[in-house]
């Protein structure tokens, strides 16, 4: 991740959530369910509030608009993805193929479990700077993680177009686009794309790892 693109601090649920914390999570859960059912544009603040079992006025105590709800929902989902990246980055003693597979499987799971939120993040990124920073920052974490994996696998880290960092960036964003398209089709398509993405990553290192 470049120094010019800082990653927003990821939200973490407290160990002992307060009533307000629980209500905020209920709002986000209701928003995700409505996104899954209807898509983003038709969903209203009133519907989100009703889904969370609160009044519209109560919702505005936590979020100032539907867009703020969506941003918080993206941040919550990406927080899990970033935690996964941190965990995988600490596993420096496992074979490169293992880290690659674990990474892609965790990304696959997020698209399977929260595809509607992931697509909303992509769709909102151009017009919402906060969502854009969260999304790009999360992808950058995986670029850093998998760039290190490629180096461990023997790919030169030479700064060129075929160096480890350039390959990791290209492959990460290729995967992002393919998962996005697949998620809008079906869960089966997401699983199929995951196998293709894995095959491409493995082919990148197969001549370097015995």
């Amino acid at each position: 991740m470049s120094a010019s693109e800082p990653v927003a601090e990821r939200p973490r649920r407290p160990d002992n959530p307060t009533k307000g914390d629980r209500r905020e999570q209920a709002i986000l859960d209701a928003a995700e369910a409505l996104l899954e059912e209807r898509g983003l544009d038709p969903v209203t603040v009133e519907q989100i509030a009703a889904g969370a079992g609160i009044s519209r006025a109560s919702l505005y105590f936590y979020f100032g608009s539907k867009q703020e709800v969506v941003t918080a929902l993206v941040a919550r989902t990406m927080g899990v993805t970033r935690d996964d990246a941190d965990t995988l980055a600490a596993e420096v003693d496992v074979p490169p193929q293992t880290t690659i597979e674990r990474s892609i499987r965790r990304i696959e799971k997020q698209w399977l479990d929260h595809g509607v939120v992931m697509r909303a993040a992509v769709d909102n990124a151009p017009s919402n700077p906060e969502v854009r920073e969260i999304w790009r920052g999360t992808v950058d974490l995986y670029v850093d993680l998998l760039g290190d994996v490629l180096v461990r696998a023997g790919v030169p880290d030479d700064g060129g177009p075929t160096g480890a960092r350039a390959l990791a960036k290209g492959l990460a964003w290729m995967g992002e686009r393919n998962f996005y398209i697949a998620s809008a089709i079906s869960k089966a398509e997401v699983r199929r794309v995951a196998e293709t993405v894995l095959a491409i990553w493995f082919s990148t290192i197969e001549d370097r790892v015995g």
Side-chain angles (χ1 to χ4, degrees), residues 106-175:
R106 294 188 188 198
I107 293 169
E108 175 191 16
K109 186 176 188 304
Q110 285 294 84
W111 280 100
L112 288 171
D113 294 348
H114 303 287
V116 66
V117 179
M118 307 280 270
R119 293 195 304 275
V122 174
D123 293 341
N124 277 264
S127 60
N128 186 320
E130 189 173 355
V131 168
R132 183 166 61 249
E133 181 179 321
I134 293 168
W135 187 257
R136 289 182 178 176
T138 303
V139 175
D140 281 344
L141 284 178
Y142 277 88
V143 170
D144 288 345
L145 164 67
L146 293 170
D148 289 342
V149 171
L150 292 182
V151 171
R152 287 198 284 119
V155 178
D157 189 16
D158 57 14
T162 60
R165 307 295 165 180
L167 288 174
K169 184 175 182 179
L171 291 173
W173 283 105
M174 175 209 68

Side-chain angles (χ1 to χ4, degrees), residues 8 12 26 38 43 45 54 71 79-80 93 104 108 118 140 143 148-149 161 165 171 178 190:
R12 295 182 182 274
R38 306 178 188 183
V43 173
V45 169
I54 61 175
T71 299
V80 174
D93 296 327
I104 301 305
E108 175 191 16
M118 307 280 270
D140 281 344
V143 170
D148 289 342
V149 171
R165 307 295 165 180
L171 291 173
N178 277 272
V190 170

Side-chain angles (χ1 to χ4, degrees), residues 95-98 152-154 202 204-210:
Q97 299 99 321
T98 301
R152 287 198 284 119
F202 287 157
T204 302
I205 65 172
E206 65 183 3
D207 294 333
R208 297 177 171 89
V209 179

Side-chain angles (χ1 to χ4, degrees), residues 46-62:
E46 289 86 354
Q47 290 168 342
I48 296 172
I54 61 175
S55 68
R56 174 176 176 172
S58 294
L59 184 146
Y60 281 126
F61 179 80
Y62 298 94

